[in-house]
Amino acid sequence: MPTCPGLSPNCSWEGSHNASGSAELELPPLSYYSIPLLAAITVACSVLFTVGVVGNVMTILVVSRYRDMRTTTNLYLCSMAVSDLFIFVCMPLDLYRMWRYRPWRFGNALCKLFQFVSESCTYSTILCITALSVERYLAICFPLRAKALVTKRRVRALILLLWTVSLLSAGPVFLMVGVEQDSMPLTNPTFEMNESGWPLEAVDTRECRMTQYAVESGLMEAMVWLSSVFFFMPVFCLTVLYGLIGRRLWLRHRETTINSRVAYRDKSNRQTIKMLVVVVLAFVLCWLPFHVGRYLQFRSLDAPSPLLSLLSEYCSLVSVVLFYLSAAINPILYNTMSWKYRSAAARLFGVSESHPQRGRTASTVKGEGWTESTVSF
């Protein structure tokens, strides 16, 4: 979860007090950002919440309700919609922590759980995108082999495996984050004190944040490396795969002996690949600022710098909006780029289908290496 107050140890108020240890210290702020900025982010996230929840629920209903939409490709997209919905479930707690990062009033278990859910769902999304791209590569470049290998049962089993890997990979989050509080009593005669000598406004300093154990043990650094691997390695694989797919389609397009059935198949493949490339690019653009901010954060830990800390905090803030944008944008892309998705969505809402069927389903083409996943969204 890319919010600075929770995951950045350099955002702790305990680390920003006067190092001279003077008796008169400032009270910790309730939030790190200005009220207008927080209000703008809250409005943006609320819009994304509405669009994302409606769009992803519609994707799940479209795939589960209509048999012709239950292709192997769409099973991956449905899994991604489920992970995006779980991400939006965590949004209210994330916004609360941005507005009032202390005191955290929801307990240690919920602090760990909602960040674990966000981390595991992110891993699941990128793994599903990668697996879907591998399937597209097989279906286009090795259609006969794909016809034998790619089945709905195997895809469902693979999706279950990917979710298991994601949950296990995010497991260290339970040790990495937790509720901690400052242990520095403040003395200032202008504030009303309680029996322990703390100002009443600053008594409850509980925060849902990166634990000191995670920083000192190296667990935080290990998780940064793990999340980077989950991002950059799939991006590299996707670049190679789509490069090979594009090359294969281009060479086939130049062939003059291609028959009408293969030409129709390639046209459908090009449309599907075009949509998937846009989905991948959207994911990369939405997540790149998060990894840049995390890199800046660790640079600021190795060599403390007010500028690096400031850049890290605001980069993390931008990452929050992009994080939820990545969870909301896929249904918009499906609706924009896929006539079949629009047609199924129209049926879902009881609107008559106005667009004629553009071609046959995969089951009507036999013996040409056609897989049922070739025609999808």
Side-chain angles (χ1 to χ4, degrees), residues 294-311:
R294 184 170 274 187
Y295 171 76
L296 293 174
Q297 173 188 327
F298 276 88
R299 283 293 304 272
S300 66
L301 288 178
D302 295 335
S305 166
L307 178 59
L308 282 179
S309 296
L310 186 64
L311 289 175

Side-chain angles (χ1 to χ4, degrees), residues 321-346:
V321 179
L322 293 179
F323 176 67
Y324 293 113
L325 175 62
S326 71
I329 198 172
N330 286 344
I332 299 175
L333 297 178
Y334 305 153
N335 188 69
T336 302
M337 304 186 67
S338 171
W339 67 268
K340 192 173 183 182
Y341 178 87
R342 292 195 298 271
S343 175

Side-chain angles (χ1 to χ4, degrees), residues 62-64 66-79 132 135-136 150-153 155-156 159 272 275 340 360-363 370-377:
V62 161
V63 174
S64 61
Y66 301 115
R67 189 177 184 85
D68 62 314
M69 296 297 290
R70 265 178 249 153
T71 65
T72 54
T73 297
N74 294 348
L75 290 177
Y76 287 110
L77 300 181
C78 189
S79 175
L132 174 55
E135 181 198 309
R136 293 290 83 226
V150 180
T151 64
K152 288 181 182 178
R153 177 176 296 182
V155 167
R156 289 191 181 100
I159 290 173
T272 302
M275 186 191 72
K340 192 173 183 182
R360 298 157 292 177
T361 62
S363 60
W370 194 274
T371 68
E372 102 178 321
S373 62
T374 302
V375 180
S376 59
F377 279 174

Side-chain angles (χ1 to χ4, degrees), residues 183 202-203 277:
S183 57
V203 171
V277 167

Side-chain angles (χ1 to χ4, degrees), residues 126-138:
I126 189 61
L127 289 178
C128 282
I129 289 176
T130 305
L132 174 55
S133 301
V134 172
E135 181 198 309
R136 293 290 83 226
Y137 170 75
L138 291 174

